[in-house]
Structures are given as C-alpha cells and as structure tokens.
C-alpha cells in the first residue's frame, strides 16, 4: 500500500472525526445552510489558485460535469448539508454516533445492486446495530415528542442515505480520475452555490452581526480540512480500496467525535450511550467484515 494511501487513511479517520464538532460550533450562531454553503464555496476558492497555478482549470465536458453534479448533490448538498442542518437540533456526539451507521446504508445499497450478499452474519450485525439504537433512546424516547429533535433525526437519516448512495455511485463509475482537484472544484462550487441559495431561502433570520468569530473560524476549518483535505483523501481511497474498507474508518471518526464533544462542548456521555456506541460499531463491523479486514486494520494502526 502506497504512502499516499496511508496518509489519506489517517486524514479521513482523524479529520472527519473533528468535523462534527466543527459543524456544531458553526451552527451555534450561523444558520446551518450558511455554514454548509460557505464551507463548500470557500473550499472551491481554495482549489481555484491551485488549479490556475498548475494550469488545470478547464471545462471537463458535459458527461463528467453531470457525474460531478450528481456526486455533489448526493454527498455535499444532500449528505453534508443535511447533516449540518440536523446538528442545529441534535448534539454533535449523537450525530456522529448515528452517522456511524453509514456503512449499513452502504452495505444495503451494495446488496441491492449485487455487490454484497445477505448472510446470517449480516442479520447478527443488523440486530446489534438496532440494539445500539435502542440504548440511545432508552431514557430519551420522550425527546422524540420535540418536533425539532425529531425532525433533526429524520434529516440525519436522509443525509446517511444520500452518503451511502453517493459512495456506491462513486465506486460503480469505473472511470479514470486523472484530476481529482478539478472534479472537486466543480463539486464544491456547485454545492456552495446551491446551499447558499437554500440559506437565503430557508433561514428564518439572517443577522450577520450575531455571527461569532468562533463559528466563522469553525467554517474556515471545515472548508480547509473537512472539505478540501478530507474529501480529496476520501475520493482517492474509494478509487484504491473497497467501499467497505473505507467505511470502517467511520469507527475512528465516531470515537474521536464523541470524545471531543464531551471534552470541548461538555456534552453528556452516559453509560447507555457508551453501550450504544459499542453495539453500533460492533454491528457495523460484523456486517462489513471481510477475510483479512482485521489484518488490514492492525496494519494501518502499526503504520
């Protein structure tokens, strides 16, 4: 495995573990669609001088443009944007834990198109994941009566579906990706414009003076690291590894995010929440287990 692949693995595993925290800080004072829109549009502006310097800024053709717009709609506008909206009403730690179920959506989508097969092991994994969800809401089931909280969860589930479909779509393209930065530039620019339109359309109140420096700094961090660095690494890994291998990195994302949410935001992490985390991560691992996967994980840890 090349050093570039190993570096990308660490970027996806660690950086995306911090983005849930960054989003939560961003939406504290900035409307969610503005957080998502500024994040992606700023990411496209960061890539622009790089493309100009390398003389790679060019039209990619209608076929590739359609592909990039589809990916942008699913993974940036859909998955990333909706997750940002969801975090306005639910905690960062809960968002990251529910998001840990994304490999399940990826597996189900892969199974539908014939890339995976349903087995008894899959059933065990699904039941463990379901038990984790039960532990999450064991004491807080009454919170579902809160329409904002309930809508936040529904929006997050829709975001996970978009992410799973986008991941499988990326893997099924089987196209050469000679200029990933250029493709991401189109994706970020499109998503940023669409999300900013949504921001002006759906934000209840736009009071720029109330936007804190901390929230703005979080948006900049999300653009530089959460979008440019992490999405480049993620798309690169999808071209070099199996989707299930890439999806197991979400285990690390979840642990880092929950720890940071507790450490920095002071979010309560109960014993049931920790049990739910163990159940969901174990269930997702069982579903996505492939011969040699443990060796793969241990090798990455050793590297």
């Amino acid at each position: 495995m090349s050093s570039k692949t190993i570096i990308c693995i660490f970027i996806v595993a660690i950086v995306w573990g911090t983005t849930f925290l960054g989003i939560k800080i961003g939406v504290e004072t900035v409307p969610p669609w503005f957080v998502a829109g500024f994040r992606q549009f700023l990411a496209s502006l960061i890539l622009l001088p790089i493309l100009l310097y390398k003389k790679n800024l060019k039209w990619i053709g209608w076929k590739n443009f359609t592909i990039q717009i589809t990916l942008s709609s699913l993974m940036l506008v859909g998955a990333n944007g909706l997750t940002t909206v969801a975090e306005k009403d639910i905690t960062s730690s809960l968002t990251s834990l529910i998001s840990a179920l994304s490999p399940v959506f990826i597996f189900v989508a892969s199974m539908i198109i014939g890339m995976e097969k349903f087995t008894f092991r899959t059933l065990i994994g699904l039941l463990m994941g379901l038990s984790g969800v039960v532990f999450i809401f064991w004491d807080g089931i009454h919170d579902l009566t809160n329409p904002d909280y309930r809508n936040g969860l529904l929006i997050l589930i829709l975001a996970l579906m978009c992410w799973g479909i986008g991941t499988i779509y990326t893997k099924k393209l089987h196209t050469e990706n000679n200029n990933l930065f250029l493709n991401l530039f189109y994706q970020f620019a499109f998503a940023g414009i669409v999300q900013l339109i949504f921001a002006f359309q759906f934000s209840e109140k736009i009071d720029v003076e109330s936007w804190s420096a901390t929230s703005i700094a979080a948006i900049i961090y999300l653009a530089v690291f959460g979008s440019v660095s992490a999405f480049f690494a993620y798309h690169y890994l999808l071209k070099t590894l199996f989707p299930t291998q890439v999806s197991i990195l979400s285990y690390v994302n979840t642990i880092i995010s929950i720890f940071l949410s507790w450490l920095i935001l002071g979010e309560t992490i109960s014993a049931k929440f920790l049990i739910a985390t163990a159940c969901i991560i174990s269930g997702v691992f069982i579903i996505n287990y492939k011969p040699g996967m443990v060796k793969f994980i241990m090798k990455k840890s050793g590297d």
Side-chain angles (χ1 to χ4, degrees):
M1 188 171 294
S2 69
S3 58
K4 187 175 182 180
T5 300
I6 295 173
I7 291 173
C8 287
I9 287 173
F10 277 101
I11 290 175
V12 172
I14 296 175
V15 172
W16 267 349
T18 66
T19 55
F20 294 102
L21 173 66
I23 291 173
K24 190 62 178 180
I25 294 174
V27 299
E28 284 180 351
T29 61
V30 181
W33 282 118
F34 275 112
V35 173
F38 283 133
R39 169 187 178 177
Q40 308 304 352
F41 193 71
L42 179 57
S44 69
L45 294 181
I46 293 172
L47 290 178
L48 184 59
I50 298 176
L51 293 171
L52 289 173
Y53 176 76
K54 293 185 175 183
K55 298 181 179 179
N56 284 334
L57 185 61
K58 58 185 178 181
W59 172 242
I60 57 177
W62 285 110
K63 181 179 179 180
N64 192 21
F65 179 75
T66 302
I67 291 174
Q68 302 312 318
I69 294 305
T70 302
L71 288 172
S72 181
S73 299
L74 288 170
M75 306 188 79
L76 297 180
V77 179
N80 182 263
L82 292 176
T83 298
T84 305
V85 174
E87 278 208 56
K88 182 66 177 178
D89 298 308
I90 58 181
T91 64
S92 172
S93 54
L94 179 58
T95 303
S96 64
L97 182 56
I98 297 298
S99 296
L101 291 169
S102 62
V104 175
F105 287 90
I106 293 174
F107 179 88
V108 172
S110 297
M111 188 172 60
I112 291 174
I113 62 177
M115 290 180 64
E116 303 281 358
K117 294 183 178 180
F118 186 84
T119 63
F120 180 71
R121 187 183 72 240
T122 302
L123 178 61
I124 295 176
L126 289 173
L127 291 176
M128 289 193 67
L130 180 62
S131 67
V133 174
V134 171
F135 271 108
I136 291 176
F137 301 109
W138 187 277
D139 294 326
I141 191 68
H142 62 278
D143 292 334
L144 293 176
T145 59
N146 182 336
D148 291 334
Y149 181 80
R150 184 174 62 249
N151 290 339
L153 288 176
L154 292 176
I155 290 172
L156 182 58
I157 292 174
L158 180 58
L160 295 185
M161 294 176 64
C162 289
W163 186 263
I165 295 172
T167 298
I168 296 300
Y169 178 73
T170 301
K171 193 61 184 179
K172 289 290 288 183
L173 288 176
H174 297 302
T175 57
E176 292 294 328
N177 199 349
N178 297 322
N179 198 334
L180 185 53
F181 272 149
L182 181 60
N183 290 338
L184 286 177
F185 169 76
Y186 278 94
Q187 289 186 35
F188 290 144
F190 174 80
I193 292 172
V194 171
Q195 289 170 330
L196 287 175
I197 292 174
F198 286 172
F200 283 106
Q201 183 71 27
F202 300 118
S203 298
E204 296 181 0
K205 182 180 180 181
I206 303 175
D207 183 10
V208 179
E209 293 183 355
S210 67
W211 297 1
S212 69
T214 303
S215 291
I216 294 174
I219 294 173
I220 296 174
Y221 173 83
L222 290 170
V224 176
F225 295 99
S227 288
V228 175
S229 298
F231 269 91
F232 175 85
Y234 185 76
H235 281 275
Y236 178 83
L237 291 177
L238 285 177
K239 295 297 182 181
T240 57
L241 302 175
F242 291 110
T244 48
Q245 290 179 320
V246 180
S247 68
I248 63 176
L249 298 176
S250 63
Y251 307 155
V252 183
N253 297 160
T254 304
I255 295 172
I256 292 176
S257 179
I258 292 174
F259 174 74
L260 291 177
S261 298
W262 167 78
L263 180 66
I264 298 177
L265 298 180
E267 294 182 359
T268 301
I269 307 298
S270 66
K272 285 188 175 66
F273 194 92
L274 293 177
I275 294 174
T277 302
C279 289
I280 289 176
I281 289 179
S282 299
V284 171
F285 180 81
I286 290 173
I287 291 173
N288 288 278
Y289 176 78
K290 295 289 186 301
M293 183 176 284
V294 174
K295 182 179 180 181
F296 171 82
I297 299 174
M298 296 302 295
K299 186 179 186 299
K300 295 311 114 204
S301 301
D303 291 337

